[in-house]
């Protein structure tokens, strides 16, 4: 029964995180399209919120799995899967926001921004690190 619990946690926290991340990026697009562009401070706040989601949601999913009686490696796998879902949304939607901002500001270099295989590989490594961090913190707190 633990595997079903893990899948439910991945779905709830992963999809919930994806929706929240998409909403943050949509809000960033609205702010970028408001005519005056976005300041570095606003971009830093949005980036910090994205990083907080990327760390917090896998930790909560791992804590939920550990509270259900599963082991550390199951919690780690769940945390990695949640991080991958949230990171995939970030890697898919952030270039869209950057292209829109580049089009509004006239920056041609950012308009050609596209995710690549090395970026995806680095994202996967980051997800593994975040999953390990989340499972470790969850193991210490539960």
């Amino acid at each position: 029964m633990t595997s079903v619990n893990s899948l439910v946690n991945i779905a709830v926290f992963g999809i919930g995180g994806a929706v929240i991340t998409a909403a943050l990026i949509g809000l960033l697009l609205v702010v970028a399209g408001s005519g005056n562009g976005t300041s570095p401070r606003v971009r830093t706040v949005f980036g910090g919120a994205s990083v907080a989601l990327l760390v917090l949601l896998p930790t909560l999913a791992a804590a939920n799995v550990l509270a259900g009686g599963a082991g550390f490696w199951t919690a780690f796998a769940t945390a990695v899967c949640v991080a991958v879902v949230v990171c995939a949304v970030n890697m898919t939607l952030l270039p869209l926001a950057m292209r829109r901002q580049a089009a509004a500001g006239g920056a041609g270099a950012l308009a050609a921004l596209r995710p690549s295989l090395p970026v995806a590989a680095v994202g996967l490594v980051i997800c593994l690190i975040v999953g390990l961090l989340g499972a470790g913190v969850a193991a210490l707190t539960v």
Side-chain angles (χ1 to χ4, degrees), residues 21 25-26 29-30 46-47 55 63-64 68 75 95-96 110 112 118 128 138 142:
T21 301
I25 293 171
L29 283 171
V30 168
F46 279 102
V55 172
N64 199 12
L96 295 173
L110 287 178
L128 288 170
V142 173

Side-chain angles (χ1 to χ4, degrees), residues 97-128:
M98 295 304 295
R99 282 196 296 269
R100 172 142 179 185
Q101 185 175 4
L110 287 178
L113 185 66
R114 304 246 189 274
S116 63
L117 189 57
V119 171
V122 169
L124 183 60
V125 170
I126 290 172
C127 289
L128 288 170

Side-chain angles (χ1 to χ4, degrees), residues 33-120:
S34 66
N36 59 359
T38 57
S39 69
R41 184 174 181 206
V42 170
R43 287 184 292 211
T44 302
V45 168
F46 279 102
S50 292
V51 169
L53 282 174
L54 187 62
V55 172
L56 183 64
L57 290 171
T59 304
L60 290 174
N64 199 12
V65 168
L66 288 172
F72 176 80
W73 294 110
T74 304
F76 168 70
T78 303
V80 168
C81 289
V82 169
V84 164
V85 170
V86 174
C87 188
V89 169
N90 269 325
M91 290 175 58
T92 303
L93 294 179
L94 275 177
L96 295 173
M98 295 304 295
R99 282 196 296 269
R100 172 142 179 185
Q101 185 175 4
L110 287 178
L113 185 66
R114 304 246 189 274
S116 63
L117 189 57
V119 171

